[in-house]
Amino acid sequence: MILQPGTVAPDFSLRNQFGQAVSLSTFRGVTPVTLVFFPLAFSRTCQGELCELRDHPELFRATGTELLGISVDSKHALRAWGEEQSFDFPLLSDFWPHGEVARSYGAFLDEPGYAARATFMIGVDGVIRASFATGPGEPRSLEQYRAALEA
């Protein structure tokens, strides 16, 4: 079960697709954050979802929210995919320890070994304001993001 609203978001530090460290704590007191866990780069459903987010930046800009994508892929795979798809938001590698951050959010699927499609809207104070997830192969909709950002 994914973490629910009202829970303090677990801090983490992961490498982005360019090898730079990104820590959730650096956003606290500065800007809200949307964490988008996704199973795997280069997969059809994940690509469709993240391309839709790329194509609708106004959703996040309107609330000053930083968008961060997270998967168990290596930073190298995330960089290749990010460049291929022209993603303009950070893609973070939860590669090692394998899925540790996804686990801390209740979003890791043990059997396949990757993150579920789970999203967390985190306030400036570091508290989860909204969270939602979809089943295997089921994409998240822009309406789910709109509703969560309004919360």
Side-chain angles (χ1 to χ4, degrees):
M1 179 171 205
I2 65 170
L3 294 181
Q4 297 299 300
T7 306
V8 174
D11 192 23
F12 61 81
S13 184
L14 295 173
R15 298 282 174 186
N16 68 13
Q17 69 266 42
F18 304 108
Q20 301 159 324
V22 175
S23 299
L24 184 62
S25 60
T26 62
F27 298 101
R28 187 171 280 180
V30 179
T31 186
V33 175
T34 297
L35 300 181
V36 178
F37 287 92
F38 61 95
L40 296 167
F42 296 101
S43 62
R44 183 181 315 210
T45 304
C46 295
Q47 186 161 307
E49 281 190 303
L50 270 67
C51 285
E52 192 165 39
L53 296 178
R54 175 203 64 205
D55 295 344
H56 292 88
E58 71 281 359
L59 283 177
F60 303 98
R61 283 192 198 131
T63 57
T65 301
E66 181 74 25
L67 176 63
L68 302 173
I70 303 176
S71 79
V72 297
D73 293 292
S74 72
K75 66 181 180 184
H76 306 290
L78 291 173
R79 184 170 185 169
W81 190 50
E83 289 175 356
E84 177 187 282
Q85 298 303 318
S86 301
F87 293 137
D88 59 355
F89 49 87
L91 300 173
L92 307 181
S93 175
D94 193 12
F95 184 74
W96 197 257
H98 189 72
E100 181 177 67
V101 174
R103 275 184 216 287
S104 72
Y105 281 80
F108 190 76
L109 302 172
D110 285 314
E111 190 172 315
Y114 50 67
R117 286 184 179 80
T119 301
F120 301 88
M121 309 302 197
I122 302 168
V124 175
D125 59 359
V127 175
I128 296 171
R129 299 290 178 222
S131 62
F132 58 92
T134 58
E138 183 184 339
R140 291 161 282 197
S141 71
L142 281 180
E143 287 310 311
Q144 288 174 295
Y145 284 96
R146 281 190 183 98
L149 284 165
E150 288 174 8

